[in-house]
Amino acid sequence: MEITAAQALVKCLEKEQVEVIFGYPGGAILDVYDALYHSPIRHVLVRHEQGAVHAADGYARATGKVGVCMATSGPGATNLVTGIANAYMDSIPLVVFTGQVPTSQVGTDAFQEVDITGITIPVTKHNYLVKDAVQLPRIIKNAFHIAATGRPGPVLIDLPRDVAQTRIKFDYPDSVNLRGYKPTYRGHPNKIAEAARLIGSAARPVIYAGGGILNSKASRELLTLAETINAPVTNTFMGLSSFPGDHPLFLGMLGLHGTRAANLAVTNCDLLIALGARFDDRVTGKLAEFAPNATVVHVDIDPAEIGKNVQVHVPIVGDVKQVLRELLSRLEKKQDTSWLEQIEAWKKQYPLVYRRGEGELKPQYVIEKLNEINGGNAVVVTDVGQHQMWVAQYYRFKRPGSLISSGGLGTMGFGLPAAVGAQIGLPGELVILVTGDGSIQMTMQELGTAMEQELPLKIIILNNHVLGMVRQLQQVYCDSRYMAVEFKFHPDFETLARAYGIKSYTLRTEKEVDQLLPEALGSPGPVLVNCLVCAAENVNPIVIAGKAISEAVDC
Amino acid sequence: MKKTGAQILVESLLAEGVDTIFGYPGGQALPIYDALYDADIRHILTRHEQGAAHAADGYARASGKPGVCLATSGPGATNLVTGIANAYMDSIPLVAITGQVPTSMLGRDSFQEADITGITLPITKHNYLVKDVNDLAKIVREAFYIATTGRPGPVLIDMPRDVSAGETDYTDPGPVHLPGYDIKKDPDPEQVARAVRAIEEAERPVIYAGGGVINANAHVELLKFAEMLLAPVATTLMGLGGFPGNHPLSVGMLGMHGSKYANYAVSECDLLIGVGVRFDDRVTSKLEAFAPNATVVHIDIDPAEIGKNVGVDIPVVGDVRATLRELAGRLQPRLASRWRDKIQTWKKEYPIEFEENGRIKPQEVIREIYNATGGNARITTEVGQHQMWAAHYYTYTRPRTFISSGGLGTMGFGFPAAIGVQLACPGETVIDIAGDGSIQMNIQELATAVSHKLPVKIAILNNGFLGMVRQWQELFYNRRYSYTELDNPDFVKIAEAYGAVGIRVDKKSEVRPALDEALRVDKPVVLDFQIEREENVLPMVPPGEAINNMLG
Amino acid sequence: MRHTLAVLVENNPGVLARVAGLFSRRGFNIDSLAVGRTESPDVSRMTIVVEGDERVLEQVNKQLHKLVDVIKINDITADEYVDRELVLIKVNADPAQRGEVMQIADVFRARIVDLGRKTVTLECTGNDGKINAFEESLRPYGIKELVRTGKIAMLRGTKYTGLQENGD
Ligand SMILES: Cc1cc2nc3c(=O)[nH]c(=O)nc-3n(C[C@H](O)[C@H](O)[C@H](O)COP(=O)(O)OP(=O)(O)OC[C@H]3O[C@@H](n4cnc5c(N)ncnc54)[C@H](O)[C@@H]3O)c2cc1C
Ligand SMILES: Cc1ncc(C[n+]2csc(CCOP(=O)(O)OP(=O)(O)O)c2C)c(N)n1
Ligand SMILES: Cc1ncc(C[n+]2csc(CCOP(=O)(O)OP(=O)(O)O)c2C)c(N)n1
Ligand SMILES: [Mg+2]
Ligand SMILES: [Mg+2]
């Protein structure tokens, strides 16, 4: 029997076991929506397409599955760009569908036509403009494969309206054959052996573990490695939650706002074992003084990451989980006390601190409380800014994948829709969004989606009435000449929550936090907690631009 | 004296006459913000970069001056994409400035790096990645020149942080020299002569006028031209206000949701004079049946538009204003026209109308907005059914009073655009005619309006649906309303949360009093009109049909 | 240093945009780029000459590999290969000088493809060095117009850069 390509599209998604799609309809994608009408796949109607793509991203991060979203042509498609770029920078698997004007009109500046495949070339792993309906199932098969394998990433499929309406015989391929795309999973045995040798002889090893650990679900192997060789572990921001936050070998995050202990350990190590991390500029600081005395072993699935920013002595291209398993089979238990003693001393000497009890509620206090209340077991989604860094510093993650945050692109407004996606992917779990007063306003309309979908999200606004992170930068780099960072005016977040039928609290003191935060987190439905926190607080320590990470200061 | 790149940028902006910038700060834009600290330029902090782009666009449409917006690298830049594409499709002069990571970090997937010049290649008239601070002044001058001349459009300047922080001597770059960019303002005399002949020979001429008339500030010339020819004038959505809607020769909007008489006039004419239009598919529908018996004259400044969609008999490449003047100078005014009389009968026979009943009809709300403002407001719209009703039931008599996203059809455009319009036209009444779906897209900008004391009014025609899409599902998909019904927030409470005024209107009798009240208060007001839920926009040309084959 | 890459790509629309975009986005310097069909209709070959040190070249290689449409990359710089480029040059040549120009053409085995009243248009193929030398020797006569195709290259002997396995 012949069906339309739009119907075939929905069938393909069913075959890929897609459970939920985030989207927003419009003219050019109407046929797909019509086909969805009878499908068992759940469709979540957002309030702005940016919400759809971030929600799909949050869903993917929370579940490890491919996130799917769709939008119409033109503005629907361009509204996805930030979210696609966000997923691309953080290596998140997404398949994105956009409607397009009929093929006969492509290239004529037709109504709601934009060249979305052209626009997204720099921010997708791959993309397709479907010109022949018969190819659609194969393209979808390929898209899911490319998005989810190797270094994951977003793939976009642009579907012209006439193609969607064309009838085809449905046949879903069961294998892919892409001659230009063959990711390497198994590390080279010689290199692994060399790494094992180096580990055996290293006196001051440090494990630097990034988001790749989470991508490859290798947290258990990471823990075994650390405990086998007794090496301290530091996480990148993206790697947080891959290693238990309360483990004695844990150093916390490194880099720009990392702990001094982590930054000192890296600076002084003789062997740096980089696992699924990409030597981001936020991590390395001044390149010449990043791990200056270390031999560097770098395990990454993406060969282009190896040697991109720093020189690597032992490059291992492969899936970090598989590589670690092989590596572990060649390692022996190791115990070197003097290095661990030094690490312990640094940790004692330089703990993360903030000053309490200055009459104002400190944002760090709220995070500590959140951590305390559910013992580091919640899924925490953040927005971008100071509050994000405080979560990274003060929340002790227990479960792999329980931090969901925009690292590479640093997209304000990611938080709320991502939390919507995460909660939909993890229905029974406690999902907490920690956001800022600036960030929440960027995608606030998705409160409507949270309400409509009856999601029991807990939204914590660390409201300092300022674009805090930028204010801090202006304090440091611009002589405190504050420009366009102070909100002269703020909405009343409580009334706003009520407009969406969401319960809300405003907390002003430590006492109110102690009393009401547990109640807020314990309530069954969605809750918005507006914490009025100190505006002048800075994220410390901080590495000033151009300095080495060992030279962090407080400001 | 040495100046930083950021200071040079600011100086150059001042030299271009910029007084208002819409923006949102971030790390890589810090040097620029620091330079703005001392500058005599008003900076409007929006709540999302999309708001900044649309506001700059609205500002440009209302004032005729280029709009300027500013964002940081990465997500700040990508958040501008929709707004830039929107300006591109509607040929609006916009200069978008983005921060970028330092040149040494380009191409390494650095923190908040996005290849915004690559991304915006298809949606800008031109763009620049500044690599050397010494080129900056020249680039800014060129950017404004390109954005505002010829067929206007958005130009983006990407400024790596080391370039904005780097120092050099500022010297005025002098006049623009761009060998690859030349604009023909004055039409070719030969072409004009042919057009004149065609006009003299025509019995049933129709003027089809678009956004080019407004871009070229040619409304006076158009009026004169039409009156000389006694030719009916049909405008596109973008052309509304370019010809007085209350003029006897006006036949309103043509196209998919055009008036019947406009579409009939085009279908029967023997001469179609396209004036600053681009024969968009929303206008022409089935191409073979569009003005089938007409000789087509097409006046446009962009030669690429000529013959792109429709075969043109007499192309006239040039500025609309200069060309209309030229033509008028060579024509004799007509004294009588049977054709005009025929149009008048059509206008009587097929008026734009709707059925009233006990509930609030959207058309009626628009009509009341017209009455309450005496037709003197600046109207912006979002995208959907309400946009079409705003086009039909409010009569636009002046250019730049109807401001709407035509080419890209961006929901969420209207409100931030209204903020830009209000800044360009202080003291005037600015109303965003919105749908309940669209308004949610950039509702956060209420904070911008309130904090800058901009008394913009939002009239939500609340039907609880993505109405335009629902209409298509009703008519062409067997009423299967797949994900078009909305579960809306309480808009009045939202307004109140922002310290704006919220008014919910449930009854017909409350429509006018609510409007009067809204116009009285000097604050942003959100009017939530609970309208008939399944009202359709009629008449309508079903997709693929000839434009004289209309439903309703 | 200059490297010559033979890049096999899927013959899909847009593949040129993907490659060109990659080079500009990542700041790699292209000296020349030539694209054309190969022995299999669904595969095109790009010959790209890039300028850069080892580190840059490594990135060029790796980043190109990430493009799904790129099938195979060969850096043939260090191999034995033949390369050719074609140039068209229009030079001033009034009758008095024409003889000299013809002689130069002879030396380079160039061909005359068009004769005007005051100009001659010449076609010459060869490797980089030859084309450069040809250009230089004509420069004194006044080059009115010049266009080069960019270089294409192929390995010598039984080695292939194509999709088939290598012979030796
Ligand atoms: C305001 C702000 C401040 C920040 N400050 C800091 C800071 O102080 N410290 C910090 O660390 N970050 C900070 N960041 C985040 C930073 O920008 C980067 O996002 C982060 O450092 C990158 O983490 P990563 O190296 O783990 O790479 P990711 O982006 O997580 O990339 C994953 C890597 O793993 C590889 N990989 C993927 N799958 C596999 C697999 N299966 N097997 C092997 N390898 C795989 C990929 O190829 C890639 O190289 C900050 C962000 C913001 C918004
Ligand atoms: C879309 C976007 N625009 C701008 C920025 C630049 N930026 C980074 S952090 C920040 C301030 C965030 O403010 P808020 O959400 O209130 O968090 P805070 O730092 O105050 O905790 C800004 C403007 C960004 N990251 N994303
Ligand atoms: C950003 C964006 N997404 C999707 C669309 C497709 N679209 C066109 S009209 C419309 C419905 C608009 O609903 P509403 O704002 O309530 O207006 P109504 O039609 O009900 O008056 C939609 C979804 C669009 N034009 N822009
Ligand atoms: Mg804040
Ligand atoms: Mg509606």
Side-chain angles (χ1 to χ4, degrees):
Chain A
M1 203 193 73
E2 297 211 324
I3 55 175
T4 66
Q7 289 164 335
L9 184 155
V10 173
K11 276 197 155 187
C12 295
L13 297 186
E14 288 167 11
K15 295 254 183 202
E16 289 291 338
Q17 279 153 21
V18 171
E19 284 161 2
V20 51
I21 298 174
F22 302 88
Y24 205 86
I29 197 150
L30 264 188
D31 294 281
V32 178
Y33 270 84
D34 198 55
L36 266 180
Y37 194 69
H38 289 300
S39 166
I41 299 180
R42 174 175 178 190
H43 173 276
V44 175
L45 179 68
V46 294
R47 299 299 185 266
H48 185 300
E49 288 84 357
Q50 187 182 357
V53 58
H54 288 325
D57 179 327
Y59 174 89
R61 295 190 206 224
T63 60
K65 297 181 203 160
V66 176
V68 180
C69 64
M70 59 177 61
T72 193
S73 66
T78 52
N79 276 348
L80 297 173
V81 171
T82 297
I84 295 172
N86 188 70
Y88 181 72
M89 292 294 272
D90 284 349
S91 311
I92 305 304
L94 290 188
V95 173
V96 178
F97 292 94
T98 48
Q100 182 54 285
V101 302
T103 32
S104 60
Q105 292 179 8
V106 168
T108 66
D109 316 300
F111 178 65
Q112 295 194 330
E113 182 197 356
V114 295
D115 174 16
I116 195 65
T117 44
I119 288 175
T120 57
I121 284 178
V123 292
T124 47
K125 190 167 169 188
H126 194 51
N127 65 28
Y128 295 94
L129 169 61
V130 187
K131 292 205 170 144
D132 174 5
V134 176
Q135 293 295 326
L136 182 66
R138 161 138 317 276
I139 287 175
I140 294 177
K141 181 84 193 173
N142 289 352
F144 273 86
H145 178 71
I146 294 170
T149 56
R151 178 178 185 170
V155 179
L156 179 139
I157 300 176
D158 198 21
L159 186 65
R161 180 135 196 243
D162 58 327
V163 177
Q165 291 171 338
T166 306
R167 296 191 154 268
I168 58 170
K169 235 177 83 211
F170 181 68
D171 181 19
Y172 199 57
D174 40 32
S175 65
V176 290
N177 176 21
L178 288 158
R179 47 188 172 181
Y181 178 78
K182 297 209 172 61
T184 313
Y185 287 94
R186 289 206 45 202
H188 199 287
N190 292 351
K191 297 283 177 200
I192 293 177
E194 199 182 336
R197 244 187 337 271
L198 285 167
I199 290 172
S201 60
R204 299 185 307 281
V206 167
I207 299 171
Y208 151 46
I213 300 283
L214 296 168
N215 281 335
S216 109
K217 302 191 174 63
S219 297
R220 189 189 293 266
E221 288 73 12
L222 171 64
L223 182 62
T224 315
L225 172 71
E227 289 181 342
T228 306
I229 63 172
N230 264 297
V233 176
T234 179
N235 273 148
T236 65
F237 177 72
M238 291 302 292
L240 284 172
S241 83
S242 69
F243 195 79
D246 51 5
H247 195 284
L249 286 171
F250 190 53
L251 288 163
M253 181 173 81
L254 82 165
L256 176 73
H257 290 302
T259 64
R260 285 196 168 77
N263 287 345
L264 286 170
V266 168
T267 306
N268 291 289
C269 72
D270 65 351
L271 177 69
L272 186 69
I273 309 168
L275 305 173
R278 56 189 178 82
F279 295 84
D280 186 81
D281 52 288
R282 297 257 138 166
V283 165
T284 57
K286 185 176 180 185
L287 271 174
E289 284 171 48
F290 181 75
N293 309 314
T295 306
V296 178
V297 174
H298 188 182
V299 183
D300 205 298
I301 200 154
D302 180 356
E305 283 303 337
I306 294 180
K308 188 175 78 174
N309 294 335
V310 304
Q311 203 206 332
V312 171
H313 306 87
V314 185
I316 306 178
V317 176
D319 175 55
V320 61
K321 187 181 184 109
Q322 294 198 24
V323 171
L324 283 183
R325 285 195 172 162
E326 295 212 6
L327 183 64
L328 283 167
S329 71
R330 294 170 191 250
L331 288 175
E332 287 177 7
K333 186 102 184 139
K334 221 183 132 183
Q335 181 75 284
D336 187 342
T337 46
S338 67
W339 176 232
L340 288 184
E341 275 162 19
Q342 172 65 72
I343 298 274
E344 224 19 69
W346 280 328
K347 280 179 43 179
K348 286 238 167 57
Q349 196 179 348
Y350 304 113
L352 285 169
V353 281
Y354 64 95
R355 260 197 270 165
R356 272 179 63 185
E358 294 174 322
E360 282 178 297
L361 179 59
K362 290 296 174 84
Q364 299 94 327
Y365 183 79
V366 180
I367 307 292
E368 283 188 330
K369 276 290 149 189
L370 283 176
N371 185 53
E372 207 178 292
I373 294 168
N374 57 77
N377 277 308
V379 173
V380 180
V381 184
T382 84
D383 251 303
V384 172
Q386 293 182 312
H387 61 275
Q388 179 188 30
M389 290 300 112
W390 287 317
V391 168
Q393 294 178 330
Y394 290 92
Y395 196 91
R396 301 188 170 272
F397 294 93
K398 285 255 180 65
R399 293 166 29 200
S402 59
L403 169 63
I404 295 179
S405 187
S406 167
L409 197 65
T411 310
M412 290 173 69
F414 169 75
L416 177 57
V420 164
Q423 185 77 78
I424 284 172
L426 304 170
E429 309 218 12
L430 177 61
V431 176
I432 302 177
L433 165 66
V434 178
T435 177
D437 46 319
S439 297
I440 185 77
Q441 293 187 61
M442 289 227 160
T443 46
M444 200 194 67
Q445 60 275 48
E446 303 307 333
L447 287 174
T449 312
M451 166 188 73
E452 184 176 350
Q453 303 289 329
E454 295 173 357
L455 305 176
L457 278 181
K458 306 294 177 273
I459 301 166
I460 315 288
I461 306 178
L462 295 186
N463 185 350
N464 51 8
H465 286 80
V466 69
L467 298 173
M469 184 59 104
V470 180
R471 184 204 51 72
Q472 176 171 352
L473 293 175
Q474 288 179 343
Q475 180 187 337
V476 176
Y477 297 108
C478 308
D479 255 352
S480 301
R481 286 151 48 97
Y482 296 139
M483 172 72 198
V485 289
E486 286 153 316
F487 288 119
K488 276 180 262 163
F489 174 80
H490 251 344
D492 168 359
F493 286 110
E494 253 192 68
T495 313
L496 202 55
R498 246 181 290 128
Y500 287 95
I502 291 173
K503 192 166 154 189
S504 79
Y505 295 81
T506 302
L507 308 180
R508 295 176 182 79
T509 60
E510 288 192 2
K511 204 160 135 224
E512 285 178 355
V513 171
D514 294 349
Q515 282 173 351
L516 294 172
L517 196 57
E519 177 188 316
L521 295 189
S523 355
V527 176
L528 184 147
V529 186
N530 182 22
C531 303
L532 301 181
V533 299
C534 172
E537 198 65 17
N538 284 332
V539 180
N540 282 319
I542 178 172
V543 178
I544 305 292
K547 294 278 187 202
I549 58 169
S550 55
E551 299 174 288
V553 294
D554 284 342
C555 65
Chain B
M1 205 191 80
K2 294 250 185 248
K3 290 212 159 88
T4 67
Q7 286 165 336
I8 292 171
L9 174 73
V10 167
E11 196 126 328
S12 307
L13 292 176
L14 287 167
E16 299 296 334
V18 173
D19 56 14
T20 307
I21 291 184
F22 302 86
Y24 205 90
Q28 307 299 356
L30 272 188
I32 302 175
Y33 272 87
D34 198 51
L36 279 174
Y37 188 89
D38 303 312
D40 191 17
I41 294 183
R42 173 168 59 171
H43 176 271
I44 307 293
L45 176 66
T46 56
R47 293 304 183 269
H48 187 299
E49 289 85 354
Q50 186 181 358
H54 290 324
D57 178 327
Y59 179 89
R61 292 188 205 225
S63 67
K65 295 197 285 184
V68 180
C69 60
L70 169 60
T72 190
S73 66
T78 55
N79 275 348
L80 296 176
V81 168
T82 297
I84 293 173
N86 189 69
Y88 181 71
M89 293 296 274
D90 285 348
S91 310
I92 305 303
L94 193 73
V95 175
I97 300 160
T98 49
Q100 181 56 284
V101 302
T103 40
S104 61
M105 314 245 285
L106 281 170
R108 295 170 171 228
D109 315 295
S110 305
F111 178 64
Q112 293 194 331
E113 177 186 359
D115 172 21
I116 197 64
T117 44
I119 290 173
T120 57
L121 211 58
I123 50 171
T124 45
K125 192 168 168 190
H126 194 52
N127 66 30
Y128 296 90
L129 170 62
V130 190
K131 291 207 165 148
D132 181 348
V133 65
N134 292 303
D135 299 338
L136 182 62
K138 182 167 151 284
I139 285 176
V140 177
R141 169 90 22 111
E142 283 177 11
F144 276 84
Y145 180 74
I146 293 172
T148 52
T149 53
R151 177 177 182 171
V155 178
L156 180 135
I157 307 175
D158 200 19
M159 299 252 301
R161 183 160 172 185
D162 55 330
V163 172
S164 22
E167 295 197 334
T168 187
D169 289 315
Y170 172 72
T171 43
D172 188 281
V176 171
H177 172 70
L178 289 162
Y181 179 80
D182 82 301
I183 312 144
K184 225 173 130 266
K185 269 202 125 168
D186 294 320
D188 181 58
E190 189 99 1
Q191 290 172 329
V192 170
R194 285 181 62 204
V196 167
R197 258 194 316 278
I199 291 169
E200 281 166 354
E201 281 162 20
E203 282 170 21
R204 301 185 305 281
V206 166
I207 298 171
Y208 152 40
V213 173
I214 297 182
N215 278 333
N217 294 315
H219 50 284
V220 176
E221 287 74 10
L222 178 63
L223 180 61
K224 184 163 171 223
F225 181 64
E227 285 179 342
M228 285 182 86
L229 267 63
L230 295 179
V233 179
T235 63
T236 63
L237 185 80
M238 294 302 295
L240 285 174
F243 188 78
N246 54 1
H247 193 283
L249 285 172
S250 166
V251 290
M253 187 169 84
L254 81 169
M256 174 177 275
H257 286 299
S259 68
K260 282 196 175 166
Y261 41 90
N263 285 359
Y264 289 165
V266 170
S267 301
E268 306 261 310
C269 71
D270 64 352
L271 176 70
L272 185 71
I273 310 169
V275 185
V277 289
R278 57 192 181 86
F279 293 87
D280 185 74
D281 52 288
R282 289 277 134 153
V283 168
T284 58
S285 204
K286 187 179 183 181
L287 276 173
E288 311 85 81
F290 184 71
N293 309 315
T295 303
V296 177
V297 175
H298 188 183
I299 305 170
D300 206 295
I301 195 141
D302 180 359
E305 279 306 332
I306 289 174
K308 189 177 77 176
N309 296 330
V310 166
V312 170
D313 302 293
I314 305 172
V316 187
V317 177
D319 176 60
V320 167
R321 190 168 171 186
T323 307
L324 288 181
R325 278 194 184 159
E326 194 70 28
L327 285 172
R330 305 205 192 176
L331 287 166
Q332 295 297 321
R334 293 188 188 202
L335 300 172
S337 159
R338 293 235 307 276
W339 172 234
R340 177 188 55 177
D341 303 340
K342 177 149 188 197
I343 305 266
Q344 298 305 337
T345 1
W346 278 337
K347 276 173 97 168
K348 289 212 189 69
E349 213 171 319
Y350 308 104
I352 298 258
E353 60 185 357
F354 63 97
E355 259 171 60
E356 302 205 34
N357 60 21
R359 289 181 291 274
I360 304 177
K361 286 289 185 139
Q363 300 90 333
E364 192 180 333
V365 177
I366 309 286
R367 210 176 49 198
E368 285 306 316
I369 292 177
Y370 179 75
N371 292 335
T373 58
N376 283 319
R378 304 251 178 187
I379 302 292
T380 72
T381 80
E382 307 287 345
V383 172
Q385 293 182 313
H386 61 276
Q387 181 187 27
M388 294 302 123
W389 289 316
H392 282 308
Y393 290 92
Y394 190 104
T395 309
Y396 303 91
T397 53
R398 291 177 299 141
R400 305 187 187 279
T401 54
F402 177 75
I403 286 167
S404 186
S405 168
L408 196 63
T410 310
M411 293 171 66
F413 167 75
F415 179 42
I419 289 177
V421 173
Q422 185 78 76
L423 282 157
C425 312
E428 295 194 41
T429 301
V430 181
I431 304 178
D432 172 32
I433 294 178
D436 46 330
S438 299
I439 193 62
Q440 295 187 57
M441 291 218 160
N442 284 312
I443 188 86
Q444 73 282 354
E445 302 306 334
L446 267 173
T448 312
V450 171
S451 70
H452 290 278
K453 302 202 166 47
L454 303 171
V456 170
K457 318 296 176 213
I458 303 174
I460 305 176
L461 301 187
N462 189 341
N463 52 12
F465 276 111
L466 298 173
M468 185 59 103
V469 183
R470 184 207 56 75
Q471 175 171 344
W472 280 60
Q473 289 173 332
E474 176 188 334
L475 298 177
F476 312 116
Y477 293 88
N478 282 323
R479 296 184 67 95
R480 285 199 298 269
Y481 293 168
S482 182
Y483 305 102
T484 41
E485 192 162 356
L486 292 171
D487 192 345
N488 283 325
D490 179 337
F491 289 113
V492 170
K493 278 220 183 69
I494 290 189
E496 284 165 4
Y498 282 96
V501 177
I503 306 174
R504 180 179 160 114
V505 186
D506 295 285
K507 288 211 233 43
K508 231 171 137 85
S509 59
E510 295 166 354
V511 170
R512 184 59 191 265
L515 280 167
D516 290 338
E517 168 68 13
L519 293 173
R520 208 163 27 239
V521 294
D522 191 28
K523 270 189 175 185
V525 179
V526 177
L527 290 150
D528 180 4
F529 292 103
Q530 299 288 320
I531 60 163
E532 176 89 285
R533 296 196 63 201
E534 298 194 30
E535 187 74 10
N536 284 338
V537 178
L538 292 171
M540 174 184 190
V541 180
E545 294 290 335
I547 61 165
N548 56 356
N549 194 354
M550 305 187 82
L551 300 177
Chain C
M1 183 182 154
R2 268 205 199 156
H3 286 252
T4 304
L5 306 182
V7 183
L8 293 174
V9 299
E10 299 283 354
N11 185 9
N12 287 341
V15 63
L16 186 60
R18 286 177 208 275
V19 172
L22 179 84
F23 274 76
S24 88
R25 175 158 74 249
R26 301 222 175 240
F28 304 144
N29 290 322
I30 305 189
D31 242 41
S32 80
L33 187 157
V35 210
R37 250 182 358 88
T38 63
E39 66 281 1
S40 31
D42 55 343
V43 175
S44 305
R45 176 147 152 184
M46 295 187 180
T47 310
I48 308 177
V49 181
V50 275
E51 181 78 51
D53 59 21
E54 285 305 318
R55 214 189 60 85
V56 169
L57 244 97
E58 187 182 326
Q59 273 293 308
V60 170
N61 253 294
K62 287 171 166 178
Q63 295 293 354
L64 273 175
H65 259 304
K66 285 173 71 165
L67 297 180
V68 172
D69 285 339
V70 169
I71 306 165
K72 197 172 168 199
I73 304 164
N74 268 292
D75 186 342
I76 59 173
T77 317
D79 289 306
E80 289 268 308
Y81 63 87
V82 273
D83 64 316
R84 287 292 178 273
E85 187 172 0
L86 185 149
V87 66
L88 291 175
I89 303 183
K90 188 179 283 178
V91 284
N92 278 334
D94 41 47
Q97 294 171 322
R98 214 162 262 193
E100 287 174 47
V101 170
M102 302 264 203
Q103 261 180 5
I104 294 175
D106 238 20
V107 173
F108 286 91
R109 307 221 174 142
R111 293 198 312 140
I112 293 170
V113 288
D114 188 42
L115 266 175
R117 264 196 310 120
K118 289 196 183 142
T119 60
V120 181
T121 305
L122 300 154
E123 164 203 307
C124 180
T125 54
N127 62 18
D128 242 19
K130 175 174 166 191
I131 301 290
N132 289 343
F134 182 53
E135 193 183 318
E136 279 317 306
S137 7
L138 289 178
R139 199 167 291 287
Y141 301 93
I143 294 178
K144 305 299 281 179
E145 212 179 324
L146 180 152
V147 52
R148 296 170 70 146
T149 56
K151 120 175 172 186
I152 55 174
M154 193 173 275
L155 289 179
R156 287 185 186 276
T158 45
K159 278 192 171 170
Y160 305 116
T161 42
L163 281 180
Q164 61 279 70
E165 292 303 306
N166 263 329
D168 45 16

